Amino acid sequence: VPKARFDDRLLHILSINSRLFECAIGVATSFTGGNRIGQYRTGRRLDVKLERPLTLQIDGKQGWEASAFAFTVLPKALKIKC
């Protein structure tokens, strides 16, 4: 997400509520001029409620299956070494 910074202490969310064809167009445009499909929001907490259960992935590994998830910014949890 272009507006995200490591030190802004916010979650940056781009939600796409589209069909497969519209998502494919969004992926294609993201490589050229930036993704214009979806709603961009920021905040410190995100609650996601789904129509059907999905599996959460954490660092590329499967977590658990649920139809609701909550994400919160953890102070000082992100550390970057250069």
Side-chain angles (χ1 to χ4, degrees):
V1 180
K3 298 176 186 176
R5 295 187 341 257
F6 287 114
D7 61 347
D8 65 4
R9 299 179 182 172
L10 295 172
L11 291 170
H12 294 266
I13 301 105
L14 180 64
S15 62
I16 300 173
N17 199 11
S18 303
R19 293 190 168 91
L20 180 62
F21 180 72
E22 294 164 330
C23 287
I25 291 172
V27 169
T29 60
S30 68
F31 291 109
T32 58
N35 190 343
R36 305 282 187 248
I37 295 177
Q39 294 180 339
Y40 172 73
R41 300 188 190 279
T42 62
R44 295 186 185 272
R45 180 179 167 90
L46 170 68
D47 293 317
V48 178
K49 295 181 182 175
L50 307 164
E51 293 178 4
R52 59 184 173 85
L54 290 177
T55 303
L56 178 70
Q57 288 187 16
I58 302 170
D59 293 332
K61 298 177 184 171
Q62 287 189 352
W64 58 90
E65 189 174 278
S67 58
F69 297 95
F71 302 92
T72 305
V73 174
L74 300 174
K76 299 181 182 180
L78 180 64
K79 295 182 182 181
I80 300 171
K81 294 181 181 181
C82 297

